[in-house]
Amino acid sequence: MRALCLYLLSFSSPETEFLSYCLCKSAMEDTSRTQTSIIMRRSIYTFLKNYHYFTTIAALLAFPYALSVLLSQFFVPFSPLLPAIHTHLRAIFMAAEFPPSSNFFTVLSFKISQTISSSIFALPFTLSFFLLSKASIIHLLKHTNPNSPSSFSSISSLYRPLFSTFICNFFVLLAANSTAFSLLFLGYHFVNGFGFSLSPDWLAFTSAAGAVVYSMILANAIIVCNLALVSSGMENSGGYLAILRACVLIKGRTLSALALAVPGNLALAAIEALFHYRVVVRAYGYRSGGDFSGFWMALEGVLIAYLYSIFVVLDTVVSSMFFKSCKTGSLVDREGRYCYRIEIVAEKDGNAYVKLKNIEEFP
């Protein structure tokens, strides 16, 4: 397929150029799908190869975080934090003159309020157990053939770069949400200037376009943040440099990253829905005077939380395999290129003395 594309590009007619573009695009999409399936199979193989370690040490470290996320469904609806955040978001949307009759902005403000409240509730466990679990997985997968389990000292050595990257990820997500709201604000007022604000079709179009724009921006930001966490552990360098490194590595691989991230997030959302149906709803029924077995419900909740922690571990394994694939791809892209850097060593009598370094001599 690649040889056929190069052969067609040797002709200059518009028809052959268009055909070669279609063939090259199809080949790139096939390659992307192939790489995604290879990374997924490799991740599952790595998980099964180190099954005992991932299901004991890594999963138990992630268990308190998973339990806090699931238990937030109990406490967040009754906490005063949720209505306070929701009221402030509604005030911001009203100040931006977003259409109050749009269901999209109503649902969006409520879901963001729920997410922020749940994140605040689980924040102590996120900064401790969640990052330690990721550190244990990343340390095991740093080598090509992971065999020996990680010690606590080696895991704790990766905690600091992961922590600094997690703090920077918070500002990246905040900037992504601000950018999305700014684009929605500009788009709304741009179209509103033509006098379409009272049309029901315009409201439906605004809701659909806003959902697509917000989802695309937030999905790309989350992918970069997850890859930055893995990068900070693999390279032992956290902070904003890990985020910049993730942005460079993910260039041209966004579709593969989305294809790898969607199954894990869908699984986690399904487990949260299962916990809500099997535990939260039954607990509310007990408060209303229904039949209730506290021990079995608590045991079922613990098992669901453990299942949630298993998928958190598997998601980290997939992200680590994707990072290794990106690193390998970036090294392959550099083959056949001569990369140099010119440094000014000194300047005397108007003459500059320079020094030429190749890529192997870069710091």
Side-chain angles (χ1 to χ4, degrees), residues 48-65:
L48 295 177
K49 183 180 178 181
N50 303 276
Y51 177 79
H52 295 289
Y53 178 81
F54 288 143
T55 55
T56 53
I57 298 177
L60 290 177
L61 284 174
F63 179 78
Y65 163 77

Side-chain angles (χ1 to χ4, degrees), residues 89 93 104 107-116 119 168-184 209-227 247 250 254 257-258 261-262 265:
L89 283 178
F93 286 173
F104 168 71
V107 174
L108 180 62
S109 62
F110 182 72
K111 289 299 181 181
I112 293 177
S113 303
Q114 279 188 326
T115 303
I116 294 175
S119 301
C168 294
N169 285 346
F170 168 76
F171 294 102
V172 171
L173 293 176
L174 185 62
N177 281 274
S178 301
T179 303
F181 291 148
S182 300
L183 291 177
L184 293 178
V212 171
V213 171
Y214 183 80
S215 300
M216 290 178 60
I217 294 176
L218 193 62
N220 283 274
I222 291 175
I223 289 173
V224 170
C225 291
N226 289 336
L227 189 60
C247 292
I250 207 173
T254 307
L258 285 172
V262 166
N265 285 274

Side-chain angles (χ1 to χ4, degrees), residues 2-238:
R2 185 178 303 172
L4 181 59
C5 293
L6 295 175
Y7 174 75
L8 288 173
L9 283 173
S10 63
F11 298 93
S12 59
S13 62
E15 291 81 3
T16 55
E17 289 180 359
F18 177 74
L19 180 59
S20 63
Y21 169 76
C22 294
L23 289 174
C24 290
K25 185 177 180 181
S26 176
M28 291 174 63
E29 291 177 353
D30 293 340
T31 304
S32 178
R33 286 194 293 267
T34 303
Q35 291 178 351
T36 303
S37 60
I38 290 174
I39 294 172
M40 187 61 71
R41 290 198 300 267
R42 188 178 301 168
S43 303
I44 296 175
Y45 171 77
T46 304
F47 179 82
L48 295 177
K49 183 180 178 181
N50 303 276
Y51 177 79
H52 295 289
Y53 178 81
F54 288 143
T55 55
T56 53
I57 298 177
L60 290 177
L61 284 174
F63 179 78
Y65 163 77
L67 190 61
S68 66
V69 171
L70 297 177
L71 287 179
S72 64
Q73 300 182 27
F74 274 114
F75 302 103
V76 167
F78 301 100
S79 66
L81 189 62
L82 177 61
I85 296 176
H86 187 225
T87 302
H88 283 82
L89 283 178
R90 291 284 296 176
I92 293 173
F93 286 173
M94 291 180 64
E97 298 182 355
F98 286 131
S101 58
S102 176
N103 293 327
F104 168 71
F105 293 104
T106 303
V107 174
L108 180 62
S109 62
F110 182 72
K111 289 299 181 181
I112 293 177
S113 303
Q114 279 188 326
T115 303
I116 294 175
S117 302
S118 178
S119 301
I120 293 175
F121 178 81
L123 184 61
F125 303 94
T126 304
L127 295 177
S128 55
F129 293 100
F130 176 73
L131 294 182
L132 286 175
S133 176
K134 277 189 173 292
S136 65
I137 299 167
I138 293 172
H139 186 271
L140 183 70
L141 300 179
K142 285 181 68 173
H143 306 287
T144 306
N145 296 316
N147 293 317
S148 59
S150 306
S151 61
F152 181 77
S153 59
S154 60
I155 293 174
S156 59
S157 64
L158 297 180
Y159 177 80
R160 184 175 180 179
L162 286 174
F163 179 81
S164 60
T165 306
F166 183 85
I167 299 300
C168 294
N169 285 346
F170 168 76
F171 294 102
V172 171
L173 293 176
L174 185 62
N177 281 274
S178 301
T179 303
F181 291 148
S182 300
L183 291 177
L184 293 178
F185 173 79
L186 293 176
Y188 168 74
H189 285 282
F190 177 78
V191 180
N192 189 31
F194 293 96
F196 299 118
S197 59
L198 298 179
S199 174
D201 296 334
W202 178 86
L203 289 177
F205 172 78
T206 303
S207 300
V212 171
V213 171
Y214 183 80
S215 300
M216 290 178 60
I217 294 176
L218 193 62
N220 283 274
I222 291 175
I223 289 173
V224 170
C225 291
N226 289 336
L227 189 60
L229 278 176
V230 176
S231 174
S232 63
M234 292 288 186
E235 304 291 339
N236 202 13
S237 174

